[in-house]
C-alpha cells in the first residue's frame, strides 16, 4: 500500500509544497519569484509545477498518493484560495481524502531547525495593522500542556512536535507588543518577528499521525479559513451598504 502524502500551504505569498512518505519529507518546494522573493503574481502557475517537480524528483506516481493535506489558514486570501482550490481539485481527481491543518501551526512544525520546547505565539500579517495569532505549545516528551483550559491539560504523546492551544484570532499591533513585553516566556514566531519563520508544507510531516486521526474535509463545502473578508469584498460592501452574497 502506498504511503505518500501531498502537503500544500498557501497562507502567505511564499507558498510551499511537500511530498511525504509517512512522517519523512521526500521532496519539498518553496514558491519563489524570478528574483528569489515571494511571488505576488502567478501563484497558481507556480504551485502545480512545484507539485510536478516533487513527484518527478522522487519518482512517485500520482496513483501512489494516498491523501492530501492543505494548510487551512488564516492568511493571504488569494494565496489560500489558490492552494485550497488546487488541493480540492487534486483530491477529487485522484479520488483521495483531503485533510486540513492550521497554517499557524505549520509555522512551528515546519521551522528549521526544529524549535525547542516552550510556548509560542504564531503570527501572520492580517493587514490594517493587525495580526492573525494563535498560541502553540512545543512539548518535551510526555509534558503536560499549559493550563489554558480543562481540555488542554492532557499529556502529550511521544512524537507530537507541537499543539495549537488556542484558535486563530485577530490581534492588534499594540496587543502583540504588549504580549512581547508582559509574557517574555512566550516566543513570538512569524515573518520578521522574534523567530523569523513562515508556514511550510513540510510541517505536516511531524504531525501527520495527528492530522490523519481526524476526519477529512467535505470536498463540496470546505474552504480555507481566510481570517477576514478579502479587501475587494470589504470595499464592495462599504460602497453598496450591504453584504455581498455568494
Amino acid at each position: 500500500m502506498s504511503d505518500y502524502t501531498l502537503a500544500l500551504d498557501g497562507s502567505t505569498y511564499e507558498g510551499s509544497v511537500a511530498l511525504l512518505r509517512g512522517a519523512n519529507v521526500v521532496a519539498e518546494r518553496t514558491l519563489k519569484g524570478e528574483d528569489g522573493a515571494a511571488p505576488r503574481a502567478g501563484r497558481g502557475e507556480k504551485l502545480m509545477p512545484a507539485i510536478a517537480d516533487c513527484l518527478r524528483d522522487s519518482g512517485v506516481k500520482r496513483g501512489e498518493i494516498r491523501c492530501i493535506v492543505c494548510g487551512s489558514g488564516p492568511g493571504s486570501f488569494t494565496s489560500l484560495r489558490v492552494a485550497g482550490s488546487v488541493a480540492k481539485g487534486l483530491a477529487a481527481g485522484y479520488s483521495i481524502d483531503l485533510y486540513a491543518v492550521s497554517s499557524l501551526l505549520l509555522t512551528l512544525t515546519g521551522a528549521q531547525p526544529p524549535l525547542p520546547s516552550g510556548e509560542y505565539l504564531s503570527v501572520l500579517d492580517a493587514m490594517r495593522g493587525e495580526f492573525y495569532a494563535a498560541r502553540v505549545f512545543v512539548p518535551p516528551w510526555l509534558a503536560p500542556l499549559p493550563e489554558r483550559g480543562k481540555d488542554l491539560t492532557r499529556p502529550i504523546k511521544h512524537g507530537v512536535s507541537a499543539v495549537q492551544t488556542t484558535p486563530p484570532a485577530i490581534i492588534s499591533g499594540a496587543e502583540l507588543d504588549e504580549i512581547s513585553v508582559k509574557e517574555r516566556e512566550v516566543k513570538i514566531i512569524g515573518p520578521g518577528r522574534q523567530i523569523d519563520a513562515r508556514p511550510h508544507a513540510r510541517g505536516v510531516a511531524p504531525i501527520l499521525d495527528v492530522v490523519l486521526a481526524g476526519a477529512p474535509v467535505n470536498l463540496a463545502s470546505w474552504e480555507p479559513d481566510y481570517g477576514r473578508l478579502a479587501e475587494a469584498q470589504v470595499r464592495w460592501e462599504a460602497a453598496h451598504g450591504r453584504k455581498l452574497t455568494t
Side-chain angles (χ1 to χ4, degrees):
M1 179 189 224
S2 299
D3 193 29
Y4 290 100
T5 299
L6 178 64
L8 316 174
D9 184 78
S11 55
T12 68
Y13 288 123
E14 194 173 278
S16 55
V17 176
L19 183 65
L20 317 176
R21 184 166 193 179
N24 298 311
V25 179
V26 176
E28 64 176 74
R29 289 290 187 278
T30 303
L31 304 188
K32 297 284 189 180
E34 297 300 325
D35 58 356
R40 287 182 172 268
R43 285 161 286 199
E45 294 150 354
K46 292 180 180 296
L47 190 59
M48 289 301 292
I51 294 171
D53 286 347
C54 286
L55 294 175
R56 184 190 64 246
D57 292 352
S58 58
V60 173
K61 306 298 183 185
R62 74 179 204 175
E64 298 179 86
I65 300 174
R66 65 165 176 168
C67 66
I68 296 173
V69 179
C70 185
S72 62
S76 165
F77 184 92
T78 303
S79 296
L80 279 171
R81 200 165 186 85
V82 168
S85 297
V86 169
K88 289 174 71 171
L90 290 176
Y94 293 176
S95 297
I96 56 178
D97 287 333
L98 171 63
Y99 295 80
V101 62
S102 167
S103 297
L104 290 169
L105 179 58
L106 294 182
T107 301
L108 279 93
T109 56
Q112 293 182 331
L115 298 171
S117 62
E119 191 174 3
Y120 295 81
L121 184 70
S122 179
V123 300
L124 287 172
D125 185 12
M127 304 178 69
R128 309 174 200 169
E130 295 178 324
F131 297 87
Y132 301 120
R135 291 181 184 256
V136 180
F137 183 60
V138 176
W141 182 50
L142 290 178
L145 282 162
E147 295 187 10
R148 294 190 176 276
K150 291 181 180 179
D151 60 330
L152 299 176
T153 55
R154 62 192 185 279
I156 302 300
K157 295 180 180 180
H158 176 66
V160 175
S161 65
V163 179
Q164 186 170 309
T165 60
T166 63
I170 296 178
I171 64 174
S172 68
E175 289 175 294
L176 181 58
D177 291 341
E178 184 177 7
I179 292 171
S180 66
V181 171
K182 292 186 175 181
E183 301 184 55
R184 295 190 179 276
E185 75 282 2
V186 177
K187 306 172 193 72
I188 299 176
I189 181 170
R193 311 313 302 181
Q194 180 183 356
I195 302 173
D196 186 9
R198 291 168 174 76
H200 201 287
R202 62 172 169 261
V204 171
I207 55 173
L208 183 60
D209 286 347
V210 175
V211 173
L212 298 186
V217 305
N218 183 318
L219 290 181
S221 61
W222 178 78
E223 287 193 13
D225 172 17
Y226 299 115
R228 66 178 359 144
L229 298 176
E231 290 296 309
Q233 184 171 345
V234 171
R235 291 193 295 270
W236 189 95
E237 291 181 354
H240 293 79
R242 60 184 174 88
K243 296 290 186 182
L244 177 65
T245 57
T246 57

